[in-house]
Amino acid sequence: MGGSAFAQAAAQGQPTLHTPRMSPAEYAHLKTTYLRRLQECFPGKAVSVLVEAPEKTDYGDLDLFVVSDGQVDFIDVARKLGAAGVICSSSGKHQMCSIGVLKDGSRSSHETVVYKNISSNNSKKAQPSTTVTVEEYAQIDIEVISSEDFRWHSFYSSYGDMGALLGNITRNLGLTISDKGLVLRLKELDYAKKTRLEQVADKDGMLILSNDPDRVMAFLGLSFRRYAEGFATVSEFFRWLRECRLIDLNIIRKKRNISRDRQKESKRTLYSKFFEEWLPKSYGIEDEESDTDDQVCDSPQEEPRDDDRMRWEKRERLRDEAVKFFDKEEEYRTMFGGLQRLICNLWVERLLKPIIAAESGAKDKKLAEIVRAFRRWVCFLGGTKPCVLPEPHSDAESQLFWFLKSRRFMNNPDLAQSFVAEHWEELKTLERRWAKGSREVEGTTMTG
């Protein structure tokens, strides 16, 4: 959070904790003190600090983490640590808090105050107090990491955001570095996003390859041994990062006109130093400005431009390498087949929707109901002849894609219109009857 958590938090009747940046000496003292205190709160559990970026002149916060697979009461932990204030920001399985502690490392003489983050507080009246403490505090972020995710988290979050640095190198080649691990992003998912198929979720086209740092570094061409030795200077870290075999200067431009990158560059000096200064200079590239986005032709349905062809081919080669290296070939084939089928089903729904509207006169919710009926009640015998099912199948089992795969329908689009005209009323009736029955069964189950 960069030391700004308490400036964006409120507690009724309480002042805002003043959390200025810490000097290296203050940071080192607090790190030693609170690693020990946190270990006392979690006996038998691994407690550690994230590896900081080298050569920092000051620090916004201190990041500590606890390896545990259980639930944690952060308010109780904050009290035991002697914190003046605590902000709980856990969400689902992700457990995290920020505490405000006296900058000199002494325990607060007052009861720990629970602050609420304004951005996550629905109350419009809640605002940070304009009264700021005279005492100086330090922000310490404490995160609970499962034993399964410990090694990846340590790598992903090390050296001032390793994930963002490697992620920018790999992104346009179809790989994503996330808190889950190294992820293969299918080109078909990019196509679905580009063509606004909102029903396609990220999970439908994101294949987790590995969250083992050793294997990920080996695939990227980075030395695990050198990483384990640590980096005393920024230059040492950058030289190691430059060895990544996926660095491509035709993809990673010194200047990129993409808003999310601009935001990262403004917030992360290490990020901007590497991509804006050090990396181009190491390749002897002159400063260059670009007024256009660095676009990638990711659609599997359209022919790439000449200047994108090599990038597309490289992405496909890398995909094949990755699924083989991480032994994910079977999982890839399953995901690819499912995503391709989903996209085809959604395209058929788009094509059928105006036909159904014209035949039925339905609009909005009533039109959506009939489209849903086609999705659930239509099947294809032998992949050629559409018919109405006696019982519905699930949305995921939709066979509408056969309208695109069947030569009979592709060669004669009027057949689809004839089928709609003949069956839309029947399908609507079936869907309504089935939906009513489902609601009745659900109601009986709840009352019983």
Side-chain angles (χ1 to χ4, degrees), residues 4-22:
S4 61
F6 286 93
Q8 303 169 30
Q12 188 174 8
Q14 298 295 326
T16 298
L17 298 185
H18 178 41
T19 55
R21 296 185 71 82
M22 294 171 275

Side-chain angles (χ1 to χ4, degrees), residues 51-178:
V51 179
E52 308 94 348
E55 299 183 297
K56 292 192 70 169
T57 57
D58 57 20
Y59 299 83
D61 57 23
L62 170 62
D63 293 303
L64 302 178
F65 61 89
V66 180
V67 180
S68 176
D69 297 310
Q71 288 295 118
V72 172
D73 182 346
F74 282 123
I75 296 176
D76 182 58
V77 171
R79 288 171 178 156
K80 290 178 180 177
L81 293 174
V86 59
I87 304 169
C88 299
S89 51
S90 299
S91 176
K93 293 182 179 180
H94 182 233
Q95 299 184 78
M96 183 177 178
C97 79
S98 297
I99 62 173
V101 302
L102 285 164
K103 213 174 182 186
D104 63 5
S106 60
R107 297 176 186 270
S108 173
S109 59
H110 305 290
E111 180 70 15
T112 301
V113 176
V114 179
Y115 286 77
K116 298 291 184 181
N117 189 297
I118 300 303
S119 63
S120 63
N121 192 338
N122 293 325
S123 173
K124 295 182 179 180
K125 295 181 181 179
Q127 292 295 329
S129 173
T130 55
T131 302
V132 181
T133 59
V134 175
E135 301 89 352
E136 290 188 346
Y137 293 86
Q139 177 183 321
I140 300 179
D141 294 336
I142 303 173
E143 190 170 2
V144 177
I145 308 298
S146 70
S147 54
E148 180 184 359
D149 297 332
F150 166 65
R151 292 189 68 246
W152 177 256
H153 179 82
S154 300
F155 172 72
Y156 173 78
S157 301
S158 64
Y159 293 103
D161 212 341
M162 178 77 77
L165 291 161
L166 288 176
N168 193 49
I169 292 172
T170 62
R171 187 178 65 218
N172 283 345
L173 293 172
L175 294 173
T176 298
I177 304 285
S178 78

Side-chain angles (χ1 to χ4, degrees), residues 194-247:
K194 181 182 288 188
T195 53
R196 301 181 182 276
L197 294 174
E198 292 85 359
Q199 300 94 324
V200 178
D202 285 347
K203 65 178 179 61
D204 295 320
M206 300 284 277
L207 178 63
I208 298 176
L209 297 171
S210 177
N211 68 347
D212 182 337
D214 302 25
R215 297 197 71 200
V216 170
M217 280 187 267
F219 180 75
L220 297 178
L222 294 169
S223 168
F224 174 76
R225 179 191 61 77
R226 182 67 188 89
Y227 171 81
E229 290 173 355
F231 309 104
T233 67
V234 171
S235 292
E236 286 182 9
F237 176 52
F238 285 172
R239 281 197 293 272
W240 173 80
L241 198 59
R242 187 185 185 273
E243 295 303 312
C244 178
R245 71 185 182 96
L246 302 189
I247 288 180

Side-chain angles (χ1 to χ4, degrees), residues 367-384:
L367 177 58
E369 177 188 40
I370 301 174
V371 173
R372 185 168 61 249
F374 272 78
R375 183 192 312 144
R376 293 176 176 173
W377 293 88
V378 173
C379 74
F380 272 73
L381 296 176
T384 59

Side-chain angles (χ1 to χ4, degrees), residues 270-384:
L270 201 68
Y271 182 96
S272 57
K273 280 181 181 177
F274 182 70
F275 290 110
E276 282 194 0
E277 302 170 17
W278 193 91
L279 185 61
K281 186 177 179 180
S282 73
Y283 280 97
I285 295 177
E286 296 295 326
D287 188 19
E288 57 183 50
E289 293 284 346
S290 175
D291 294 326
T292 59
D293 287 355
D294 187 22
Q295 298 289 348
V296 184
C297 178
D298 285 325
S299 167
Q301 306 295 328
E302 63 186 57
E303 187 70 16
R305 301 186 302 271
D306 290 342
D307 58 346
D308 290 320
R309 191 179 300 278
M310 290 182 64
R311 185 181 308 168
W312 191 359
E313 291 173 351
K314 183 173 182 178
R315 178 172 177 174
E316 290 185 328
R317 288 197 304 272
L318 191 64
R319 174 202 64 202
D320 294 342
E321 282 182 44
V323 297
K324 184 175 182 179
F325 183 90
F326 294 104
D327 194 24
K328 296 286 183 174
E329 291 163 299
E330 186 61 35
E331 290 181 49
Y332 169 76
R333 282 192 291 268
T334 300
M335 179 173 284
F336 171 76
L339 180 56
Q340 191 176 50
R341 174 171 172 162
L342 175 59
I343 290 173
C344 287
N345 281 332
L346 292 172
W347 267 112
V348 171
E349 288 185 19
R350 278 191 180 182
L351 296 172
L352 289 179
K353 193 172 183 178
I355 301 174
I356 294 171
E359 291 292 337
S360 66
K363 297 179 181 179
D364 302 326
K365 290 184 178 180
K366 291 184 178 180
L367 177 58
E369 177 188 40
I370 301 174
V371 173
R372 185 168 61 249
F374 272 78
R375 183 192 312 144
R376 293 176 176 173
W377 293 88
V378 173
C379 74
F380 272 73
L381 296 176
T384 59

